[in-house]
Amino acid sequence: MMESKKKTQEEICQVFRFEQWLRFYFVEERDDKLFLSVPGERLEEIKTSYPHLLELANMANGGEIDYQKSCDMVCAYVGAHIDGPKSSTALVTTILDSKGYQIEMYLFGLWIKGHEDFLDEDIRPFSEWEELYAGWRATEQVADYAKKLMESSPTATPAGGNNTLH
């Protein structure tokens, strides 16, 4: 059960990381509104490297986006692809409410903020984001920090993730 929970949490976190990557690079402003516009070549890269996430990219592509629409879209995707098809509803809900998930999303937000200038230099493939984040996450300093967060009181858990549109 613990392995299943860990795997499901990682799948959910990847969906949230992917959606953040989409917003980081492909949001454009038109008429004082924000739209997600993923170029065809990037969709092909996603189809090749992350075919399970292509539907999420297609759901958002071309449409107006804001924080609430983004959350709704990700939740709909998780509901359709993980919650039920791959795991129980109770497990997904437990994960989304868990301290471990909140910490993971918080750490990802820190990683983005700490590397924003580097990430802005060029549109980096999602696979590179995954590799860079995993490397950063595996450093002793970050691992120790995550452990301290997990051991802290429940009220000290950081708020989940990065709520800003880039």
Side-chain angles (χ1 to χ4, degrees), residues 82-98:
I82 299 172
D83 188 14
K86 290 187 173 184
S87 65
S88 72
T89 301
L91 179 58
V92 170
T93 301
T94 299
I95 289 168
L96 292 174
D97 290 339
S98 74

Side-chain angles (χ1 to χ4, degrees), residues 35-148:
F35 293 85
L36 194 68
S37 183
V38 184
E41 67 271 9
R42 293 295 173 172
L43 291 172
E44 284 302 315
E45 287 175 17
I46 295 164
K47 183 178 179 180
T48 300
S49 300
Y50 295 92
H52 62 288
L53 295 173
L54 181 61
E55 183 180 331
L56 181 59
N58 286 331
M59 285 171 63
N61 198 24
E64 187 179 344
I65 191 128
D66 60 25
Y67 179 71
Q68 188 58 52
K69 288 178 185 176
S70 180
C71 289
D72 293 346
M73 179 183 63
V74 169
C75 289
Y77 181 86
V78 168
H81 295 277
I82 299 172
D83 188 14
K86 290 187 173 184
S87 65
S88 72
T89 301
L91 179 58
V92 170
T93 301
T94 299
I95 289 168
L96 292 174
D97 290 339
S98 74
K99 187 174 183 178
Y101 168 78
Q102 291 174 8
I103 289 170
E104 196 58 40
M105 292 289 77
Y106 170 74
L107 291 173
F108 183 64
L110 284 180
W111 176 78
I112 289 173
K113 287 176 185 173
H115 295 86
E116 189 169 6
D117 290 342
F118 172 74
L119 297 171
D120 255 344
E121 289 174 1
D122 194 18
I123 297 177
R124 300 179 188 288
F126 181 62
S127 57
E128 186 175 340
W129 270 44
E130 290 286 82
E131 184 179 312
L132 291 169
Y133 176 68
W136 177 83
R137 181 66 176 84
T139 64
E140 185 177 340
Q141 183 180 14
V142 175
D144 287 348
Y145 181 55
K147 184 179 177 186
K148 286 177 185 170

